[in-house]
Amino acid sequence: MRTSLKATLAAAVAVGALSALAPAIGQDRPESILPPGFGDTTPTPAPAPRPTPPAAGEQPARPTTPSQPSTAMIQPLPAPTPNGAAPVVPPPVVPTAVDPTVLARYEMPESARRSLGTVGPVTAREGGLETDAFGDADGQYVETLMRRLTAPLPSRWMSILLRRALVSRVDTPRNTNGADFAAERAWLLLRMGESTAARAVTQAVDTYNYTPKLYQVAMNAALATGDPAGLCPLVPGAMGYAPARGWTMAQAMCAGLSGNPAQATPLIATAKRRNVASGVDMLLAQKVVGAGAQGRQAVTIEWDGVDQLTAWRFGLAMATGVTVPDELYASAGPQVRYWQALSPSVALGDRLAPAEAAAGQGVLSSAALVDLYAATADDDEAQSTASATANDLQTAYTDRNADARMTALRQLWGGAAAQSTDARPSYARLVLTARAAARMNPTAGKADADRLVASMLTAGLDRTAARWLGTVPSGGDAWAMIVLSDPDAYRRLSYADLASYSGGDGDSALKQRMLFAGLAGMGRLAQGDIERAAQTLGVRIGAANAWTRALDRAARDGESGTVVVLAAIGMQAPNWKSISPEALYRIVGALRAVGLDGEARMIAAEAIARA
């Protein structure tokens, strides 16, 4: 098992290290190397563009604007490029006798250039949405929704679906520039913790088409992935737009990384003299310069007196193998832990905790988390607790004795505490054990059916879970999750079936309403039973507001990408308990309307597992 798991992990790491990205750091204060808002405790975002009304028909109604994410890791974006205007690219420095247009043809032949009309790294055949996912939606309206969306989201499956939409190769909506639209998508991915996905989106645009907004986001993506070398291809163009302090430092680092310390040294000296950067920010940049060929300089990083973790500090520390103190992570948003989980430069033992958090959020898959623990089992430096977890995981997957496998699963879920009726295992541990749970026989695992079914569904094993329907008690949590997630359900449930659900562990009253909302949204209740249950449970599924009208309109027009973004808008909350059943009903119904049935079922079942 360990060999196959480690092979899968290696593949996951290869994807995580996929490509290089460009720079973005900034200049807000003379003594700081950070972009506007980076070091501030209350960053001030750039004003968001107002959505342009559609050319015909009613203007799309906008949901209530959420507050800006409370993280110092993401910088405000500049104003978007004017609608339809091609980005102004500074001419390259070439001899005056050479026409830059002619030279560009040699550097990037017409056949190799990518259009801004359709942008994204993942095609529909590879799992993305269709190219017309945003249909006739107004581009500035969609950008505004993305910019104002608070992330991370409380739902693992909603996060996975949103990532899928943002990385898809889709047509650029009207009234926006393709590079700016890619920047907004990548910026949202960064706030979700999806550093490698954000980098892939920025790299889906040719550098000669970059706009100021995309330059900024690309720098953030390069830093989030711990890849300062990814800044180098973008330095000339970025300096032509606005020679920010971050790009000035990138010039020196790129000179050092290219094996030219004679050029890097005076650039660093000039930066010091002009107070472009100082303290740990300058030392980290010098350490990157020293890492290049013939660098010949060793720099020691001390974190004493540093009370804020920034993208610059995180990215350069990851690139140079410098350990960031745990207390500094508390000064940044949770997405930075997810960046850490995706960084191959972090030691295996140090990646386990952030990796579990990332798996619970949907940033890492169940298979990737299992592979990480499998690699830890062979790591001599791993802590005893990590090794014990890896051994329990191996037992849960491979032992021939069903009782031994079940005992190992209970241990992974929290040991003796997991047997308590009011104790629930962390959702990340359910993700970790998904395929081990699928190997259990329904008869042997009947007493733990609620957790086993919830665990299977974290990995989307809906048909495997559905085989338990005849074994689990009717009216329990496992039954509720199965009737919501079963892809082959052939009959509608009755009001009596719904009334038999007790609510299980947790907030039983909320879970009863969530089950009703999910079944109604999935169309698995008769209309008369929907009206009766809505009145009995007090769920106002008919209530309308700006958000519901926008969601209904996008679903009616078949705009799957717009529906996903609006569904995410409706799920902005600190946890599942703060998401209303009315919102779940609307989200599930809209996703089904645009062909995203699988995700709709998984989101509805997740509500039962986590409410």
Side-chain angles (χ1 to χ4, degrees):
M1 178 188 99
R2 292 179 181 173
T3 302
S4 62
L5 293 181
K6 290 170 68 177
T8 307
L9 175 63
V13 170
V15 172
L18 190 58
S19 24
L21 278 175
I25 228 170
Q27 74 282 9
D28 194 23
R29 303 173 184 169
E31 74 277 10
S32 173
I33 194 170
L34 310 179
F38 255 49
D40 301 340
T41 55
T42 55
T44 302
R50 292 183 59 85
T52 302
E58 181 185 0
Q59 180 180 359
R62 283 176 283 174
T64 303
T65 303
S67 59
Q68 191 73 9
S70 58
T71 170
M73 299 303 299
I74 306 298
Q75 67 181 22
L77 298 178
T81 301
N83 300 344
V88 180
V89 181
V93 180
V94 294
T96 55
V98 179
D99 184 349
T101 305
V102 175
L103 183 61
R105 293 176 182 171
Y106 287 96
E107 293 176 342
M108 180 67 73
E110 294 287 347
S111 59
R113 299 185 182 188
R114 294 175 291 185
S115 169
L116 287 178
T118 305
V119 178
V122 180
T123 65
R125 180 176 296 182
E126 297 167 329
L129 302 184
E130 297 294 336
T131 55
D132 62 349
F134 291 94
D136 194 44
D138 183 84
Q140 292 190 29
Y141 168 66
V142 177
E143 284 187 6
T144 302
L145 293 178
M146 290 181 182
R147 180 178 295 195
R148 295 178 177 178
L149 201 159
T150 303
L153 299 171
S155 169
R156 168 180 164 84
W157 278 105
M158 187 71 249
S159 298
I160 291 172
L161 176 57
L162 182 58
R163 177 186 64 207
R164 178 185 170 195
L166 295 175
V167 301
S168 296
R169 181 171 174 79
V170 294
D171 295 337
T172 301
R174 59 189 176 86
N175 292 336
T176 190
N177 177 276
D180 282 348
F181 190 61
E184 290 289 357
R185 292 154 61 187
W187 194 43
L188 176 52
L189 284 165
L190 284 175
R191 303 201 307 275
M192 294 168 60
E194 300 280 1
S195 55
T196 55
R199 182 175 63 178
V201 171
T202 62
Q203 288 183 329
V205 177
D206 292 334
T207 55
Y208 66 85
N209 280 329
Y210 267 47
T211 60
K213 182 192 294 188
L214 187 53
Y215 274 118
Q216 284 188 315
V217 177
M219 175 176 270
N220 276 303
L223 294 171
T225 52
D227 183 23
L231 303 174
C232 301
L234 298 183
V235 167
M239 292 295 289
Y241 273 120
R245 284 193 288 273
W247 294 112
T248 300
M249 295 304 301
Q251 282 185 310
M253 291 190 298
C254 291
L257 291 174
S258 64
N260 192 355
Q263 179 184 0
T265 300
L267 287 173
I268 288 289
T270 300
K272 286 182 177 180
R273 185 173 62 254
R274 296 178 179 176
N275 201 24
V276 172
S278 60
V280 71
D281 298 318
M282 174 60 77
L283 291 174
L284 284 166
Q286 289 180 275
K287 195 168 183 67
V288 172
V289 170
Q294 304 178 18
R296 297 196 185 96
Q297 58 176 312
V299 179
T300 301
I301 304 299
E302 298 289 347
W303 296 100
D304 296 342
V306 178
D307 58 3
Q308 180 70 43
L309 182 61
T310 65
W312 180 265
R313 293 163 186 173
F314 173 87
L316 300 193
M318 293 299 104
T320 55
V322 175
T323 301
V324 177
D326 286 339
E327 56 269 20
L328 277 182
Y329 282 103
S331 68
Q335 57 270 79
V336 185
R337 282 293 191 182
Y338 310 150
W339 299 353
Q340 184 188 17
L342 293 173
S343 175
S345 67
V346 179
L348 284 176
D350 294 336
R351 289 176 66 187
L352 292 177
E356 286 205 18
Q361 186 61 38
V363 175
L364 282 182
S365 68
S366 173
L369 186 58
V370 169
D371 289 349
L372 185 59
Y373 269 106
T376 304
D378 294 333
D379 186 3
D380 294 335
E381 297 181 0
Q383 297 180 357
S384 58
T385 53
S387 297
T389 299
N391 291 334
D392 286 337
L393 195 60
Q394 184 173 14
T395 300
Y397 271 91
T398 64
D399 200 288
R400 295 184 178 182
N401 185 288
D403 291 337
R405 295 203 306 273
M406 193 67 247
T407 299
L409 285 171
R410 293 185 185 119
Q411 191 64 34
L412 289 166
W413 293 336
Q419 307 308 308
S420 171
T421 57
D422 58 353
R424 304 171 73 181
S426 72
Y427 195 69
R429 283 303 174 98
L430 295 179
V431 175
L432 175 65
T433 58
R435 285 173 173 78
R439 293 170 57 86
M440 290 301 302
N441 183 287
T443 303
K446 186 175 181 179
D448 298 271
D450 292 348
R451 292 182 180 123
L452 289 168
V453 170
S455 182
M456 288 181 241
L457 293 179
T458 64
L461 305 176
D462 49 6
R463 284 191 167 87
T464 303
R467 292 201 294 265
W468 287 60
L469 185 58
T471 304
V472 300
S474 179
D477 276 357
W479 171 84
M481 287 183 280
I482 292 172
V483 297
L484 285 169
S485 64
D486 186 359
D488 303 315
Y490 60 89
R491 72 176 183 89
R492 287 178 172 175
L493 298 182
S494 66
Y495 179 83
D497 293 324
L498 178 62
S500 71
Y501 178 53
S502 64
D505 295 338
D507 189 337
S508 58
L510 174 60
K511 290 166 71 172
Q512 287 172 336
R513 295 195 295 271
M514 287 295 198
L515 174 61
F516 161 66
L519 290 174
M522 293 297 301
R524 295 185 177 178
L525 288 173
Q527 185 60 39
D529 290 335
I530 290 177
E531 295 173 359
R532 180 181 177 187
Q535 184 174 7
T536 302
L537 297 173
V539 180
R540 300 173 61 245
I541 60 174
N545 54 38
W547 173 72
T548 62
R549 287 189 290 270
L551 188 61
D552 291 345
R553 185 180 299 110
R556 185 173 59 250
D557 294 342
E559 298 172 358
S560 57
T562 312
V563 165
V564 172
V565 174
L566 285 166
I569 288 283
M571 295 197 82
Q572 296 175 110
N575 51 54
W576 266 98
K577 293 183 183 299
S578 301
I579 298 174
S580 70
E582 291 85 354
L584 180 65
Y585 165 75
R586 293 285 187 171
I587 289 168
V588 170
L591 293 178
R592 284 185 61 240
V594 293
L596 298 172
D597 301 67
E599 289 82 356
R601 289 185 285 105
M602 292 302 103
I603 291 171
E606 184 183 352
I608 302 299
R610 305 186 73 177

